Amino acid sequence: MTAPSAQPFEAPSTTAKRLLAQRFLREPLLHFLLLAMALFALQAIAGGDEKEIIVVDAATQKYLFKQEEDLRLSPLNSEEKQAIIKNYIEEEILVREAAARGFTDSSRIRTLLLQNMKFFIGSELREPSDQDLREYFEANKAEFTSPPSIDLNHVMYINAKSVPVQIFDILNEADDPSQLGDLDPRLGYTIRFLDQRRLIGLFGTDTARSLLAVQKGDLDWRGPFEAPDGSAHFLRVANHTPPRTPQFEEAKDWISTHWSASNSRDRIDASLNEMRENYVVDIQPLESDADG
């Protein structure tokens, strides 16, 4: 029996191709796939140019400026204000980048997010040599010079109404302030090494300004300085400590910490330059700027 001969393959005709294409184009699944592809393409195009907006409004600027001016006890100049705004923007970028990288699982607190992000960027720093630290110390001695400070004698009455009428005579004659009646000893009767920022943190700007103006040799008691909780404070400047720069050996650990922070800052600045490409910053004018 003779085997049937193989039939040669015949390519479909032009008409057949056209009919096949028309049938294929009528398929609902194809329409869905084409539409989905178009949407993804549009999203990719639009998403690639979309940037987050960081708004630094007038209220935020005023708050930041006042906070720093209260700590300095002096007004800020324009360069200092620009530096504060720049620092705020950098922190905002780092916080958002930290959230984008998943650091929110460890903490939702802004300060810790910043620490996490800065550590993540600067974690590959090498250990500094003694020569590195000595060179850094010599070039940045001002960073390691302690600010001027004062020591205070301090008496605190829990209730301002319980302060004796002749309090200043009593204070000047007393050898032991703890025997003066209804006192609160939590801050102690002597507070040492209070620089300007610590003074403001403890007693506020007005009291700090008054105490910093006291001249050496003036041992008069001052007060009462009434706190928001109703307590009354009487203070005397017992000692003035001038600025002091430590020797290298006694400050070596401190210098190492500053060196690491400085070098981490260089890495952070480089990373921030890349991160800024993802953001649009809108610094709104203050009222005084707008009027000018």
Side-chain angles (χ1 to χ4, degrees), residues 130-248:
D130 269 16
Q131 184 65 25
D132 290 328
L133 297 181
R134 287 184 183 277
E135 289 177 358
Y136 185 83
F137 178 62
E138 291 299 323
N140 300 276
K141 278 192 174 180
E143 291 185 22
F144 305 101
T145 300
S146 61
S149 64
I150 58 177
D151 300 340
L152 295 178
N153 296 141
H154 170 255
V155 166
M156 174 180 175
Y157 283 86
I158 299 172
N159 188 341
K161 295 180 180 179
S162 65
V163 176
V165 176
Q166 302 297 326
I167 181 61
F168 289 104
D169 292 336
I170 296 171
L171 287 172
N172 287 324
E173 294 173 3
D175 293 325
D176 182 3
S178 65
Q179 303 302 315
L180 294 180
D182 185 20
L183 302 178
D184 188 329
R186 283 176 292 177
L187 286 178
Y189 302 115
T190 300
I191 312 174
R192 302 196 65 195
F193 303 119
L194 290 171
D195 60 22
Q196 179 173 296
R197 287 179 177 258
R198 289 189 63 205
L199 272 172
I200 293 170
L202 283 175
F203 301 113
T205 56
D206 292 338
T207 302
R209 186 178 283 108
S210 172
L211 293 171
L212 290 170
V214 174
Q215 300 297 311
K216 289 182 181 180
D218 182 348
L219 297 178
D220 290 342
W221 283 87
R222 287 168 168 78
F225 300 105
E226 191 166 340
D229 62 1
S231 60
H233 301 257
F234 292 86
L235 302 164
R236 177 171 65 179
V237 178
N239 185 51
H240 290 76
T241 301
R244 177 180 176 271
T245 303
Q247 298 297 313
F248 173 79

Side-chain angles (χ1 to χ4, degrees), residues 7-234:
Q7 298 296 318
F9 173 77
E10 294 182 5
S13 66
T14 302
T15 301
K17 289 180 182 179
R18 189 184 304 112
L19 291 174
L20 183 62
Q22 289 174 351
R23 180 181 176 185
F24 187 59
L25 290 172
R26 285 197 298 268
E27 286 292 329
L29 178 60
L30 175 64
H31 295 167
F32 174 79
L33 290 174
L34 290 174
L35 179 60
M37 290 172 63
L39 288 174
F40 279 125
L42 287 172
Q43 185 179 25
I45 294 171
D49 293 332
E50 186 177 352
K51 297 184 179 183
E52 285 193 49
I53 299 176
I54 297 174
V55 177
V56 189
D57 58 33
T60 298
Q61 293 176 61
K62 289 178 180 178
Y63 171 79
L64 294 172
F65 298 159
K66 184 179 186 306
Q67 189 178 49
E68 187 62 24
E69 286 175 342
D70 285 347
L71 288 173
R72 297 188 186 198
L73 298 180
S74 61
L76 299 168
N77 60 38
S78 58
E79 290 183 2
E80 291 166 339
K81 289 180 179 180
Q82 289 302 316
I84 289 173
I85 293 174
K86 178 176 179 288
N87 185 67
Y88 174 82
I89 294 168
E90 290 179 350
E91 286 190 356
E92 191 65 25
I93 290 173
L94 287 174
V95 166
R96 296 188 188 195
E97 291 290 325
R101 300 182 190 207
F103 286 126
T104 46
D105 292 337
S106 62
S107 173
R108 297 182 181 180
I109 302 174
R110 181 183 181 93
T111 300
L112 292 181
L113 281 176
L114 284 169
Q115 291 175 351
N116 283 339
M117 195 60 184
K118 290 178 179 179
F119 177 79
F120 174 78
I121 293 173
S123 60
E124 297 182 0
L125 281 177
R126 63 177 177 83
E127 285 293 320
S129 65
D130 269 16
Q131 184 65 25
D132 290 328
L133 297 181
R134 287 184 183 277
E135 289 177 358
Y136 185 83
F137 178 62
E138 291 299 323
N140 300 276
K141 278 192 174 180
E143 291 185 22
F144 305 101
T145 300
S146 61
S149 64
I150 58 177
D151 300 340
L152 295 178
N153 296 141
H154 170 255
V155 166
M156 174 180 175
Y157 283 86
I158 299 172
N159 188 341
K161 295 180 180 179
S162 65
V163 176
V165 176
Q166 302 297 326
I167 181 61
F168 289 104
D169 292 336
I170 296 171
L171 287 172
N172 287 324
E173 294 173 3
D175 293 325
D176 182 3
S178 65
Q179 303 302 315
L180 294 180
D182 185 20
L183 302 178
D184 188 329
R186 283 176 292 177
L187 286 178
Y189 302 115
T190 300
I191 312 174
R192 302 196 65 195
F193 303 119
L194 290 171
D195 60 22
Q196 179 173 296
R197 287 179 177 258
R198 289 189 63 205
L199 272 172
I200 293 170
L202 283 175
F203 301 113
T205 56
D206 292 338
T207 302
R209 186 178 283 108
S210 172
L211 293 171
L212 290 170
V214 174
Q215 300 297 311
K216 289 182 181 180
D218 182 348
L219 297 178
D220 290 342
W221 283 87
R222 287 168 168 78
F225 300 105
E226 191 166 340
D229 62 1
S231 60
H233 301 257
F234 292 86

